């Protein structure tokens, strides 16, 4: 076998070939060239030093090829290379300065998502004078590897084996945020187009949920008004129901994910926007025009609004959503609590379902009649968890019912008890029925009994009339995994608190976090699909390697410069890092590397297989 440099369309290419003898029709044996491995364009490997091709051929014959992909084809009997270099005491070379090399993999993922060509082409259209893609890479890589402020992330430029930016003005990082915000929808569409085309994304399930992120500021944003006092633009950072119970301004974010846990799109809303009011605008802007086949949208009870569900149906899709049992009609509750019709899977789980007709109104106020399947189930595990989580409150209610004279209800307790207040209360002296809003209300213990009775029961409604009830339940339970991705965003990716100020920078920051999450999920999915780890079919999306362990492993993938233009990889035997490299088929033989060999590592990485 030998290395051959050939020309194709006036461009030099490299390949590994061998000579074989074949028999022609006349029975004569003739030599013929057989291609063993196509390496690619010469400029992908050329280190700029003289006689690269000749040096490559000699290194292959010596068993130490400049291109690592050639190593499996080398003669194992050849002697391994011995390295010689000298370091004098007092020399700066005595101290190592390992640099991050993991950005090589992350850059391949960005390229597979089509973001390199997107930023390059749009930079040309807008005639930007700064490296917008370089800044975007710094922001995305930094968010995934070492989350920090925008300026601190720019300072991480020197932490990489090859600095991502050359000559730059750090203030351009904020110009990059503006660019990302302006092109948010185009960026999301480019990512989804490439996931459909390269990763064959065609989700049967799309999950939707809403979370929020807080700001370390004292006052919320004011709305912008015109001369007549009408709202021209709503402020984004508003007081609302914070998921983390902080009394700080927040921004709402709706997130769509596919059935493999890879984000599809995000939308931002003012912090005081109710969850169910986010879905339709988010669908219209991010999902309705994507080239997806029919899917089933799964969301929690906060989204259960028939105007939203009709919008999903009218787009040709389906839904599975939970519905509050306590807010259901008496007829629906009685049917749920009745033992009739249940299928008992075990002593700890039972379910039943029925088809019902509903008279509802669409977003235009038109009356519609729809059919949907209602699935209810009881789970002992669900009941035990609910009782444990509410034990103190349930004990308080019990004591209050038995000895009300011993209690003075505080403002905090009153807030928790509000859902159990009677709508009306009676003045015992006069018999007059008074509105509870005008006097202190009392606890309706019938409502308390209903609440206790509902523990362990769950109600789901779906457009899928023929889907098995157990399958409906199983698909809905997948929604819990989107909450796990929110925890990754808020924890490992350090998405909050938000320190950017303008709506454009908030949008860009959250989009950067979403792209980082996509990259994490692609790595996790590749690990699961590689067979390098054992997972069960119903395993969580992130099983195999958690986001925190991926972050730590990628931060260990570094190279250190040695005298003689040699490099060595650091911690390449770390179990988590090795798992990532094996999943992507990245081979790092135990040897020292030259600069051209480092360059060639990237060429063998395939993100989607």
């Amino acid at each position: 076998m030998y290395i051959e440099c050939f020309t194709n369309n006036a461009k030099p290419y490299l390949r590994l070939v061998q000579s074989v003898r074949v028999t022609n029709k006349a029975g004569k044996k003739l030599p013929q060239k057989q291609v063993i491995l196509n390496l690619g364009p010469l400029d992908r490997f050329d280190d700029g030093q003289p006689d690269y091709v000749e040096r490559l051929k000699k290194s292959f014959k010596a068993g130490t090829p400049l291109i690592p992909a050639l190593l499996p084809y080398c003669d194992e009997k050849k002697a391994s290379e011995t390295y010689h270099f000298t370091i004098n005491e007092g020399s700066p070379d005595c101290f190592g300065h390992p640099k991050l090399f993991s950005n090589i993999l992350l850059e391949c993922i960005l390229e597979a998502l089509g973001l390199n060509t997107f930023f390059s082409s749009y930079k040309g259209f807008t005639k930007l004078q700064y490296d917008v893609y370089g800044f975007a890479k710094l922001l995305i890589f930094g968010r995934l590897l070492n989350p920090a402020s925008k300026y601190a992330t720019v300072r991480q430029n020197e932490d990489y084996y090859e600095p991502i930016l050359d000559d730059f003005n750090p203030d351009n990082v904020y110009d990059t945020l503006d660019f990302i915000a302006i092109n948010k929808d185009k960026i999301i569409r480019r990512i989804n187009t490439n996931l459909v085309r390269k990763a064959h994304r065609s989700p049967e399930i799309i999950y939707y949920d809403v979370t929020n992120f807080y700001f370390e500021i004292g006052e919320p944003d004011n709305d912008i008004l015109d001369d007549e006092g009408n709202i021209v633009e709503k402020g984004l950072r508003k007081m609302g129901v914070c998921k983390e119970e902080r009394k700080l301004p927040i921004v709402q974010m709706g997130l769509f994910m596919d059935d493999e846990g890879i984000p599809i799109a995000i939308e931002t809303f003012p912090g005081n926007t109710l969850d169910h009011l986010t879905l339709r605008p988010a669908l219209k802007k991010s999902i309705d025009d994507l080239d997806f086949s029919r899917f089933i949208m799964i969301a929690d009870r906060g989204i259960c609004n028939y105007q939203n569900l009709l919008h999903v149906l009218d787009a040709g899709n389906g839904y599975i959503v939970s519905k509050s049992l306590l807010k259901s009609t008496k007829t629906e509750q009685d049917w749920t609590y009745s033992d009739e019709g249940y299928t008992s899977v075990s002593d700890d789980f039972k379910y039943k379902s029925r088809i019902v007709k509903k008279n509802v109104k669409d977003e235009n106020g038109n009356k519609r009649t729809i059919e949907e399947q209602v699935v209810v189930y009881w789970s002992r595990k669900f009941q035990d968890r609910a009782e444990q989580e509410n034990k103190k409150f349930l004990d308080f209610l019990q004591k209050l019912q038995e000895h009300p004279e011993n209690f003075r209800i505080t403002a905090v307790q009153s807030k928790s008890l509000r859902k159990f207040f009677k709508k009306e209360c009676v003045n015992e002296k006069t018999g007059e029925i008074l509105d509870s809003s005008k006097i202190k209300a009392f606890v309706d213990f019938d409502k308390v009994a209903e609440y206790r009775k509902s523990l362990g029961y769950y109600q789901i409604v779906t457009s899928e009339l023929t889907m098995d009830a157990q399958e409906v339940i199983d698909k809905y339970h997948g929604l819990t995994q989107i909450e796990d991705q929110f925890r990754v965003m808020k924890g490992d990716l350090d998405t909050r608190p938000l320190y950017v100020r303008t709506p454009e920078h908030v949008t860009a920051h959250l989009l950067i976090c979403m792209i980082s999450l996509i990259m994490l999920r692609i790595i996790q999915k590749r690990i699961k699909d590689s067979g390098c780890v054992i997972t069960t079919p119903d395993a969580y999306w992130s099983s195999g390697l958690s986001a925190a362990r991926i972050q730590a492993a990628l931060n260990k993938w570094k190279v250190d410069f040695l005298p003689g233009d040699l490099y060595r990889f650091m911690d390449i035997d770390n179990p988590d890092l090795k798992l990532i490299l094996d999943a992507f088929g990245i081979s790092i033989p135990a040897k020292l590397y030259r600069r051209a060999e480092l360059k060639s590592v990237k060429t063998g990485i395939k993100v989607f297989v």
Side-chain angles (χ1 to χ4, degrees), residues 206-251:
I206 291 182
Y207 298 95
Y208 180 75
D209 205 352
V210 180
T211 192
N212 47 55
F213 304 95
Y214 64 86
F215 296 79
E216 296 280 5
I217 58 174
E219 297 295 329
D221 293 335
N222 293 321
D223 297 331
I224 299 176
L225 308 177
D226 61 17
D227 295 337
E228 298 178 356
N230 299 312
I231 296 177
V232 176
E233 182 180 343
K234 290 185 177 181
L236 187 63
R237 302 177 295 178
K238 292 286 191 179
M239 300 303 294
V241 182
C242 180
K243 306 287 185 182
E244 297 167 82
E245 299 183 354
R246 294 176 182 263
K247 297 186 181 300
L248 291 167
I250 59 175
V251 60

Side-chain angles (χ1 to χ4, degrees), residues 291-307:
D291 297 327
F292 290 157
S293 56
R294 184 182 187 273
F295 62 82
I296 299 171
M297 192 200 71
I298 299 182
D300 69 10
R301 67 186 67 185
I303 312 299
C304 187
N305 172 304
Y306 279 101
Q307 293 180 352

